[in-house]
Amino acid sequence: MSMGSKQSLVPVVAGLLLFGLLVVSGRWIGGEVPRMPGALRMLNLCGLWLTAWFLNARLAGSGSAAARYLVPAVFGLTLLLLWERAVGMFAISPVILPAPSVIFAQVMSSLPTLRADFVQTFVKGALSGYVIGSGAAIATAIVIDRSPFLQRGLLPVGNFVAALPIVGVAPIMVMWFGFDWQSKAAVVVVMVFFPVLVNMVAGLKATEPMQRDLMATYSASYWQTLVKLRLPAAMPFLFNGLKIATTLALIGAIVAEFFGSPIVGMGFRITAEIGRLGLPMIWAEIAVAALAGSAFYGAVALIEKRVTFWHPSQRS
Amino acid sequence: MRNLLPVLTVVLVIIAVWYLAAVRLNSAWVYDQAAREGREVMLVDLLGETLVQERPVLPAPHQVAQGLYDGVFGQKVTSKRSLVYHGWVTLSATLLGFVIGSAAGILLAVGIVYNRAMDMSVMPWAIASQTIPILAIAPMIIVVLNSLGVTGIVPKAIISAYLSFFPVVVGMVKGLRSPDAMQLDQLRTWNANGVQSFGKLRLPSSMPYLFASLKVGVAASLVGTIVGELPTGAVAGLGSRLLSGSYYGQTVQIWAALFAAAILAAGLVGLIGQAERMVLQRMGLAR
C-alpha cells in the first residue's frame, strides 16, 4: 500500500506542476492583445483540460472518501477556468458569452435588483403556487382514495395531463389573473398539481394488508388508520412528487413572466435584457435561478430526510 | 378497457364543469352589453350569448374544438393560419433536438458506466442540473444564436436537445447498471469480453429504463421548443400562436394552439410507448 502510493505520487506531482505551468503560461498567452497564434492558445486550453482530467482520474481511482466531493468540484472548477480562459484568449464578445468573472461582478453589483426579482418570482410566484398546488393535490388524493371508481377515472387523466406541455396555460392565466404574481402562482398550481396527485395516490396504496388488518384488530377508525398508518407510509411517495414539483414550480413562474409581468421578476429581467443584449445580467439571473432551484430541491430533500427517516433509502 | 367507464365519466364531468365555468366567466360581458342596450337578460339569452362570443374569457369546449378543426382542416396546409403548418414547425424542431439530445445522452451514459472518473465528475452535475430551471436560458440561446446568424430550426433544436439530454443520461445510467452482480459474474464465467457483456446483458436490461426516460425527454423537448418560439417575436410554431393569441386577446386561438400542443405531446409519448411495447415484446420482457 505504502509502496504503491509512493510510486503513484510522481505522476500526480508532475501533473500538478504541468497544470500550474499551463495556467501561468495561459495568462501570458492571453491578455489584452493576443500575443500568440491561435494554435498555441488552443494547445494551452487542451493541455489544461487533459491535465485536469488526468488529475481527476487519479483522484477518482484513489478510492478515498473525500474524492466523492472533490472530483465533481475539480471538474466544475476546471470547466469554469476553461470558460474564463477561452473567453479571454479568443476575445469572445460579451454579447455572445460573458466570462464567469464578468457574470460574478454583475451579480455583486446588482444585488438589490436580483433580490427584488427573486422575491417577485420565487417567493411570491413559485413558492405560493407550490404550496397551494401541492396542498390541493394532497387533499384531492385523500378524497379520491375513498372511491376506487374515481381513482380509475382520475389517474389515467392525471398521468396524461402530467405529460402535457402545461406551461402553455401561462398566457391564459396571465389573461385571467393579471400581470402580477397571482397569475404566475396560478400557472405553478396547475403545473405541480398532477405530479403530486399521482404520487400521493400511489403512496396511499403503499400499506400492506397485514398492517391494515392490524389497525382493524385495534378497531381503529378510518381517520386513525389514515393518520397513524397510511399517511406516514405515503410520505416517501409524496416527497418523490414534491421534489419533481420544485423544478416545475420555478420553470412555471419564470416562463409565465415571458407572457407579461410587472417590471420586476426573473423572467421579466431576462426578456428585458435580451432586448438590450445585456448578457451578463441574464447570466446573473440564471445563476440565481440555478441556486434557488438547487436550494429549493435541497430543502425539500432535507425535510424528506427528517420525515421519512425510517425508510430503507434514508438509512445507512 | 375496464378503466374506460370511469375515465369517460371523469372526462364528461370536466367538460360539464368547463361549460358551467364558461357561462359564469363570460356572463359579465353579456350583462354589460345588456345593461348598455337596456334589456333584461333571461337564462336562455345568457346561455346563448356566453357560449358563442368572439373573444370569450373562457371559450366553451365546442368553440375550442371548432378552432382546432378550422386550424387543422379548414386551411391550406401552407397557410400561416393553419395549425398543421405551425405544428410541423414545432414538431420538426422537437424531433431533431430530441434525436440529438437522446443520442448524446445515451453515449454519455455509456461513458459514465465504463469510466470511473467520468462517473464521479459528471454524474453529480447531471443530477444537480435536473433541479435547475434550464428552460430559463431558452430565450437567451435563441437570441445569441440569432446574433451569430444561426436562425430557423437549429436554435430551437438545440434547446430541445438540451432538455431531453439530462433525463436520458440519468435514466440510461440507471438502466445500464441494473444487471446485478450475479448476472455480471455469470458472463465472466462464460469468458465474455466487455463488448459482449455490454451487448448481451447491459444494453438489453437497460431498455425499460431507457424508454421511461425517453418519454420524459420527448415531453421536455416539446416544451423546450414551444418556449424557444416565444422570444423570436411570434414568427411560426405553436409557441408563437400562444404568444400572438395572448397579444391580441384571441382566446380561442390560444386554446386551440394549447390543445394542438397537447395532442402532439400525447402522440409523441404514445409513439414511444408503442416502440417500447414492440421492443420489450421482442425481448420477452413484456407480458
Side-chain angles (χ1 to χ4, degrees), chain A residues 204-295:
Chain A
L204 286 172
K205 287 210 192 88
T207 49
E208 306 270 327
M210 190 86 88
Q211 297 168 325
R212 290 197 299 272
D213 285 349
L214 183 63
M215 295 306 275
T217 61
Y218 293 156
S219 102
S221 69
Y222 168 81
W223 289 106
Q224 283 171 323
T225 317
L226 184 72
V227 171
K228 299 209 154 99
L229 171 63
R230 305 183 59 215
L231 281 184
M235 284 303 138
F237 292 83
L238 173 65
F239 273 100
N240 196 17
L242 287 179
K243 282 194 288 192
I244 297 171
T246 54
T247 322
L248 291 177
L250 210 46
I251 287 177
I254 293 177
V255 172
E257 287 182 1
F258 296 161
F259 287 95
S261 65
I263 52 163
V264 63
M266 297 160 92
F268 163 78
R269 195 75 54 203
I270 289 174
T271 16
E273 291 292 331
I274 279 175
R276 301 172 12 195
L277 289 180
L279 265 285
M281 190 62 195
I282 298 176
W283 277 99
E285 290 286 353
I286 289 168
V288 172
L291 266 181
S294 320

Side-chain angles (χ1 to χ4, degrees), chain A residues 53 56-57 59-61 63-64 67-68 71-73 75-77 95-96 149-150 152-154 156-157 160 163-169 171-172 175-176 247 250-251 254-255 258-259 270-271 274 277 279 282-283 286 289-290 293-294 297, chain B residues 2-3 5-7 9-11 14 25 57-58 115-118 120-122 124-125 128 130-137 139-140 143-144 147-148 219 222-223 226-227 230 242-243 245-246 249-251 254-255 258 261-262 265-266 269:
Chain A
W53 187 257
N56 231 1
L59 203 57
S64 69
R68 260 191 62 206
V71 172
F75 180 75
L77 287 177
V95 174
I96 295 167
F149 183 80
L150 267 183
R152 280 194 285 147
L154 262 180
V157 175
F160 175 74
L164 298 184
I166 302 184
V167 275
V169 301
I172 297 163
M175 217 169 262
W176 285 359
T247 322
L250 210 46
I251 287 177
I254 293 177
V255 172
F258 296 161
F259 287 95
I270 289 174
T271 16
I274 279 175
L277 289 180
L279 265 285
I282 298 176
W283 277 99
I286 289 168
S294 320
Y297 185 94
Chain B
R2 115 185 199 291
N3 283 346
L5 185 69
V7 170
T9 317
V10 168
V11 170
I14 289 175
L25 285 170
V57 180
L58 173 63
N115 183 328
R116 192 173 156 73
M118 216 158 161
M120 293 179 78
S121 332
V122 179
W125 293 106
Q130 304 231 310
T131 68
I132 296 171
I134 300 176
L135 216 51
I137 67 169
M140 187 189 66
V143 169
V144 165
S147 74
L148 286 177
L222 185 64
V223 173
I226 290 175
V227 173
L230 298 180
L242 289 176
L243 193 64
S246 95
Q250 298 282 0
T251 39
I254 298 180
W255 282 89
L258 191 59
V269 173

Side-chain angles (χ1 to χ4, degrees), chain A residues 57-80:
Chain A
R58 290 312 278 251
L59 203 57
S62 72
S64 69
R68 260 191 62 206
Y69 302 98
L70 270 178
V71 172
V74 169
F75 180 75
L77 287 177
T78 310
L79 278 188
L80 275 184

